[in-house]
């Protein structure tokens, strides 16, 4: 099944002229002080790097800046018992049930010492089922340090909302898990009922519950997810009677549907061009009972079709079939013209888009993708030919026309006359759940069926109290709202009828502002005048939106929940505001002080969408939002500038990482997309592995031409099979994207294995640079208890369930200047998992299995050149790239024995890092920690073009002199840097990217550090633990290369900086990007002019 995303945003977007936005009236109050760095009491500091990845608040922290969000304001969305539930998962996953079920023969024989256990049998199927814990209790916990809610997707607990309440009294001192938060939440019951009378039926009481005909599990659509706000839709609901049956308007609609007598297995409904896993007979088109990894479905009649009448149009509409195509040479009527029968691409590529699309399109000759069903099956590529000029209204041989009776008026997709579904059943209702850090907005929606009348009641029982709202079923809004708010130290939530304090806020800007009282937030519309990008180099386009926010309350602070939005959705009207183009694939929004134009560090997260293919959700389509929460003291005015960054930030390609909503594509939860510049994605993550089990999905090179490139993904992190051979999938995944960019993104993913044996912490970032797509991974695994494993992998480049265009000709790897392995790839697997394509695979006589890499790090591994046939030229810009991996550092301990070199396996056409061959168990306290860089490089034949498109890149200039992919990957390891500091109290946490903590006492306001060596591209430098984010005049980052006598202020570097506020410490970070030009060393100073001291 396809996990690639549907087609990217339209390439037809045109640039609109950029006009300067009018400045708002100036305020005398600035948002953030711009004074010199204040001194704080001295504390001891060590010089050893910190190994803690999490940003968990500690008991001694205080919140420094009154406007910044508190650590209790941070929102989390966590599935307690797995990656959602099984109906939310697609390919790559085992069946779920009893892990004892399954084979112990052949490759599944765990007692056979000759078997290199992979978890798969001889045919590549799973040996064992995985635990069904994810389905037994499919609980989603959304919480902050103020409010929390538990959603039960199956309502097996008796409610869709079994827990809801305040978390304001929980300590959060060392970071409570989502399970602990859930345990401490008050029990609740949120229900929506209607008392309804329809037509001549008696009045009935109905309740909104999960659809019993579709797995009895609600679908949770993730609209926005992040630290400021998380917004979830609860769909796949029906109006059910007290007996748990769907209410039927017309009893004739529920006659038993017959099963296809051939009893064929199915995975999807009948459709033209469908795969062999779809129902094949249009008379039995409905696949009933399929559950991914659990059981096949069976094909049945459509219960709404009770006639053999064929059709080409609905009842009362102009009939087709009166003018069919009249020749078998041009038999298909498309767009009122007769076409030849499509010819399938003989190479049989998999597709999800037509030629020119963004992710997995067809080629130039066989341009049309037919039969793709998201999450069900790939499409096939066809040459659809040219018409013969004949006008038509239906295919050759078509019989029938409009449906003949009002009893069966709808001509369905299978050309059968059907009952109108709206005359059989009530339209499905749905919930909206939106949580900001201090509040939760619950909304219930329904559609009105003609001929029905009554009332709807929305009720929340919680904290020993009940909140009830009632509305007429036929009301214009068709929605009931409930806003619940809490505060620190409070044991209960209260209903906020004042709209979240919006009456105290005055928000002004040059465009539209909407105060949404039912959400308690403010939406600022981005002006139509801000520019867009086409799929061509966007260069230095930049936009600013000024916003003034004032708190008129004279005695109380006010929480501000603010969203900057462009285009449709995220409001109920769904009205677009302006065209969105290629910039949506790689954009940032920064928050500046309007008066100083300096970043003020308020945490912001971007949520966006470009999917419009599935479902009726009003949140599908193309839109982006920048979301932030902050606090205004009494009578305080904050003048903000939203700076919207596209391709470049201050002349250098910016990096962006954001949540990409897949509402309109699938309901498989969380997707994230990252890009260097604009014009297409470069690195995509499915953090829970919902689509294919792989965390790293689409990976694409950057040629700086503004065009999408072909997918050479994916990859994966922790893969753990227990001693019995069962997959222990990750649970309690908490995905936090602390910084979107543009200088350095920062995301953290924490989780634990299902059996609570291994804790996983993965930190991911990407930096502003002008050469290559380069992702930084800081990975830490900790054994929480003793455990034996049958298989354990730490990282895969090329995932065993996601591995696109892996047509690399060679594997070459080594360390620093040395090469330890160099051999031709002769094995091809893609995502097939037969024994000969896994640990027993062989490439040109080479077998690499859990082999320790020789020498000292950094180590490097190259896969290339990619032999894909498509060459760059003309319209053929969708070319592949090569892969590279740098292991910058590696430390581990197994049973108190230290291992300081990584071990590698080659799985046919994939690379895997794992434990050394002699290790078969983990002891409590064992740790694996490594820092990696995943590289996506242009191929040799496109490298000169890449340099031509980015001619000022010193890195590309050097790399262009090399002749092979492996030399370019090796160069990343050879060019290595070391960071040191003689300033008392300064602490170096990371050498690359550079992370250095400022001393607690800065003396004259400055401290220094030295970078020895040289790195390729722009190096991110993060100055941590600052008391202020502002840089006064004459201050900044200064450099003195070896041989220079004075320091020089790096003006361009300082101007292009990013500011981060860290909730967990109440401190600030400043992020810069520099080129390290001196091969020996360069000294740096941060603060005032060091030449004066």
């Amino acid at each position: 099944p396809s996990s690639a995303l549907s087609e990217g945003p339209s390439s037809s977007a045109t640039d609109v002229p950029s006009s300067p936005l009018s400045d708002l009236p100036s305020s005398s109050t600035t948002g953030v002080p711009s004074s010199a760095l204040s001194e704080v009491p001295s504390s001891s500091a060590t010089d050893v790097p910190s190994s803690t990845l999490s940003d968990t608040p500690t008991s001694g922290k205080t919140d420094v800046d009154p406007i910044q969000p508190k650590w209790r304001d941070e929102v989390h969305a966590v599935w307690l018992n797995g990656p959602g539930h099984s109906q939310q998962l697609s390919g790559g996953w085992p069946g779920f049930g009893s892990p004892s079920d399954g084979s112990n023969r052949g490759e599944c024989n765990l007692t056979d010492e000759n078997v290199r256990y992979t978890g798969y049998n001889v045919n590549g199927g799973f040996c064992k089922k995985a635990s069904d814990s994810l389905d037994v209790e499919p609980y989603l916990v959304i919480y902050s340090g103020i409010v929390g809610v538990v959603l039960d997707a199956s309502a097996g607990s008796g409610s869709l909302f079994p827990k809801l309440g305040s978390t304001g009294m929980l300590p959060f001192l060392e970071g409570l898990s989502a399970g602990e938060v859930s345990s401490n939440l008050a029990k609740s019951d949120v229900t929506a009922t209607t008392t309804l009378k329809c037509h001549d039926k008696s009045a009935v009481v109905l309740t909104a519950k999960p659809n019993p005909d579709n797995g009895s599990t609600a679908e949770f659509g993730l609209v926005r997810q992040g630290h400021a706000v998380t917004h979830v839709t609860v769909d796949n609901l029906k109006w059910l009677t007290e007996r748990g049956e769907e209410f039927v308007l017309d009893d004739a609609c529920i006659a038993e549907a017959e099963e296809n007598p051939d009893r064929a297995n199915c995975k999807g409904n009948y459709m033209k061009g469908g795969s062999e896993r779809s129902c094949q007979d249009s008379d039995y088109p409905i696949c009933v009972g399929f559950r991914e990894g659990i059981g096949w479905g069976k094909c049945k009649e459509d219960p709404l079709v009770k006639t053999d009448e064929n059709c080409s149009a609905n009842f009362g509409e102009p009939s087709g079939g009166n003018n069919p195509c009249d020749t078998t040479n041009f038999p298909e009527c498309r767009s009122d013209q007769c076409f030849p029968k499509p010819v399938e691409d003989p190479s049989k590529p998999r597709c999800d888009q037509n030629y020119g699309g963004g992710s997995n399109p067809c080629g130039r000759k066989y341009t049309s993708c037919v039969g793709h069903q998201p999450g069900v099956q790939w499409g096939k590529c066809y040459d659809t030919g040219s018409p013969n000029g004949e006008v038509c209204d239906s295919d050759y041989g078509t019989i029938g026309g409009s449906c003949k009776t009002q009893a069966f008026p709808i001509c369905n997709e299978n050309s059968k006359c059907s009952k109108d579904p709206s005359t059989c059943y009530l339209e499905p209702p749905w919930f909206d759940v939106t949580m900001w850090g201090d509040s939760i907005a619950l909304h219930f929606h329904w559609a009105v069926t003609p001929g029905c009348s009554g009332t709807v009641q929305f009720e929340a029982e919680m904290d020993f109290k009940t909140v009830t709202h009632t509305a007429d079923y036929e009301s214009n809004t068709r929605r009931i709202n409930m806003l619940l708010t809490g505060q620190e130290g409070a044991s209960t939530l209260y209903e906020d009828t004042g709209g979240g304090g919006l009456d105290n806020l005055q928000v002004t800007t040059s465009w539209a502002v909407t105060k949404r009282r039912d959400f308690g937030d403010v939406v600022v519309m981005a002006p139509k005048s801000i520019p867009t990008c086409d799929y061509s180099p966007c260069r230095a386009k930049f936009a600013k939106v000024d916003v003034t926010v004032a708190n008129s309350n004279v005695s109380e602070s006010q929480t501000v929940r603010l969203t900057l939005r462009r285009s449709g959705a995220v409001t109920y009207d769904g009205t677009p505001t302006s065209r969105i183009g290629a910039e949506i694939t790689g954009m940032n929004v920064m928050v500046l002080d309007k008066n100083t134009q300096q970043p003020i560090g308020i945490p912001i997260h971007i949520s966006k969408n470009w999917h419009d293919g599935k479902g009726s959700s009003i949140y599908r389509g193309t839109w982006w939002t920048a979301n932030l929460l902050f606090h205004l003291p009494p009578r305080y005015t904050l003048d903000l500038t939203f700076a919207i960054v596209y391709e470049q930030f201050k002349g250098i390609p910016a990096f962006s990482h954001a949540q990409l909503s897949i509402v309109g594509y699938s309901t498989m939860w969380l997707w994230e997309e990252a890009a260097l510049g604009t014009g297409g994605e470069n690195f995509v993550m499915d953090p829970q592995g919902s689509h294919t089990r792989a965390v790293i999905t689409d990976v694409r090179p950057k040629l700086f031409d503004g065009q999408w490139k072909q997918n050479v993904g994916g990859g994966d992190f922790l893969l753990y099979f227990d001693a019995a051979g069962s997959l222990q999938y990750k649970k309690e995944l908490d995905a936090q994207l602390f910084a979107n960019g543009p200088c350095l993104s920062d995301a953290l993913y924490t989780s634990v294995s299902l059996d609570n044996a291994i804790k996983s912490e993965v930190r991911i970032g990407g930096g502003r640079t002008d050469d290559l797509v380069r992702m930084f991974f800081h990975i830490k695994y900790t054994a929480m208890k003793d455990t034996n494993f049958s298989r354990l992998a730490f990282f895969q480049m090329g995932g065993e369930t996601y591995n696109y265009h892996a047509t690399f000709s060679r594997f070459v790897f080594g360390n620093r200047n040395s090469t330890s392995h160099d051999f031709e790839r002769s094995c091809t697997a893609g995502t097939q998992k037969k024994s000969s394509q896994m640990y027993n695979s062989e490439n040109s006589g080479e077998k690499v299995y859990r082999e320790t890499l020789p020498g000292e790090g950094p180590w490097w591994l190259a896969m290339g050149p990619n032999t894909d046939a498509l060459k760059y030229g003309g319209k053929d810009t969708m070319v592949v790239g090569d892969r590279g991996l740098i292991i910058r550092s590696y430390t581990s301990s197994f049973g108190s024995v230290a291992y300081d070199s990584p071990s590698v396996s080659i799985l046919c056409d994939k690379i895997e890092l794992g434990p050394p061959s002699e290790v078969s168990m983990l002891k409590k306290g064992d740790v694996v920690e490594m820092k990696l860089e995943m590289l996506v490089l242009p191929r040799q034949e496109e490298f000169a073009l890449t340099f031509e498109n980015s001619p000022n890149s010193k890195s590309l200039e050097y790399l262009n002199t090399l002749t092979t992919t492996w030399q370019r990957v090796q160069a990343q390891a050879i060019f290595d840097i070391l960071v040191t500091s003689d300033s008392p109290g300064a602490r170096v946490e990371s050498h690359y990217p550079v992370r250095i903590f400022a001393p607690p006492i800065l003396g004259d306001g400055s401290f220094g550090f030295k970078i020895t060596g040289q790195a390729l591209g722009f190096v991110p430098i993060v100055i941590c633990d600052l008391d202020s984010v502002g840089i006064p005049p004459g201050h900044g980052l200064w450099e003195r290369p070896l041989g220079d006598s004075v320091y020089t202020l790096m003006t361009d570097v300082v101007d292009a900086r990013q500011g981060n506020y860290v909730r967990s410490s109440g401190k600030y970070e400043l992020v810069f990007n520099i080129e390290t030009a001196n091969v020996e060393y360069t000294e740096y100073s941060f603060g005032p002019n060091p030449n004066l001291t």
Side-chain angles (χ1 to χ4, degrees), residues 838-1093:
M838 296 289 285
Y839 291 142
N840 289 323
S841 64
E842 182 175 318
N843 282 283
S844 303
E846 293 283 343
K847 292 184 177 181
V848 181
Y849 175 66
R850 294 173 70 174
E851 186 175 316
T852 300
L853 292 176
E856 296 182 349
W859 299 269
W860 53 273
L861 303 95
M863 301 172 70
N866 197 314
T867 60
D868 185 82
L870 185 66
K871 306 298 181 183
Y872 192 100
K875 293 184 178 180
D876 290 330
T877 60
M878 196 85 165
V879 294
V880 298
D882 294 338
R883 297 174 184 164
L885 183 69
I886 307 299
I887 307 173
R888 189 66 59 179
S889 65
Y890 175 91
T891 59
S892 63
S893 64
F894 300 104
S896 301
V897 178
Y899 293 82
D900 294 327
S901 297
S903 296
V904 64
S905 300
I906 302 298
L907 286 70
C908 191
D909 48 10
K910 298 168 282 291
I911 290 174
E912 179 179 288
L913 304 181
S917 58
E918 62 269 27
V919 174
S920 61
M921 70 172 298
L922 299 179
K923 301 288 289 183
K924 183 178 180 180
D926 283 354
V927 173
V928 176
E929 187 167 3
M930 52 189 169
K931 293 185 178 180
L932 312 177
E933 292 135 43
M934 187 171 176
L935 311 173
V936 195
L937 304 91
R939 295 181 298 182
Q940 172 64 29
E941 54 262 47
E942 281 96 33
F943 215 92
L945 171 67
T946 304
F947 178 41
E948 181 180 328
N949 291 334
S950 183
N952 296 323
S953 172
K954 298 175 183 177
S955 174
L956 287 178
E957 182 179 15
Y958 167 72
L959 294 173
N960 196 43
T961 66
L962 306 178
T963 57
T964 64
T965 292
W966 72 261
Q967 289 174 318
R968 296 186 179 106
V969 175
Q970 181 190 43
Q972 313 294 317
I974 294 174
F975 286 81
D976 195 22
I977 60 176
L978 176 69
V979 184
T980 56
S981 177
D982 293 330
S983 297
R987 176 166 60 88
V988 178
E989 184 182 78
S990 173
H991 300 281
Y992 183 71
V994 177
R995 281 184 63 87
I996 184 167
F997 281 69
I1001 295 181
L1002 293 181
D1004 64 353
S1006 68
F1007 76 97
F1009 58 96
K1010 181 166 68 175
I1011 296 181
T1012 302
Q1014 188 178 7
L1016 294 174
F1018 279 75
V1019 177
I1021 293 184
V1022 186
I1023 309 296
C1024 309
D1025 228 31
L1026 300 172
D1027 291 310
S1028 172
V1029 72
I1031 296 182
H1035 290 58
L1037 186 65
W1038 306 73
E1039 71 170 346
R1040 184 171 65 182
L1042 176 65
D1044 286 6
S1045 59
V1046 297
Y1047 284 90
T1048 302
L1049 180 63
M1050 304 178 75
T1051 304
D1052 291 342
V1053 170
V1054 172
D1055 285 348
R1057 68 184 183 275
Q1058 171 185 323
N1060 304 328
Y1061 179 74
V1062 182
R1063 290 182 178 91
S1064 59
S1065 64
K1067 301 283 188 174
Y1068 291 93
E1069 297 174 345
L1070 287 175
V1071 186
F1072 309 94
N1073 305 98
I1074 67 168
E1075 290 182 291
T1076 54
N1078 197 301
V1079 295
E1080 295 192 43
Y1081 69 82
T1082 300
E1083 295 175 296
Y1084 296 89
S1085 180
F1086 179 76
N1089 189 343
N1091 299 308
L1092 303 179
T1093 60

Side-chain angles (χ1 to χ4, degrees), residues 345 347 349 354-367 700-701 703 705 707-712 805 807 865-882 937-943 945:
D345 187 339
S347 66
N354 295 337
Y355 171 73
S359 52
N360 295 282
C362 294
R364 295 188 69 183
K365 182 176 181 181
Y366 302 91
T367 58
R700 306 170 191 274
L703 271 61
D705 60 349
Q707 299 284 327
W708 281 70
K709 295 295 168 278
Q710 190 53 271
N711 182 8
V712 292
H805 295 95
T807 52
N866 197 314
T867 60
D868 185 82
L870 185 66
K871 306 298 181 183
Y872 192 100
K875 293 184 178 180
D876 290 330
T877 60
M878 196 85 165
V879 294
V880 298
D882 294 338
L937 304 91
R939 295 181 298 182
Q940 172 64 29
E941 54 262 47
E942 281 96 33
F943 215 92
L945 171 67

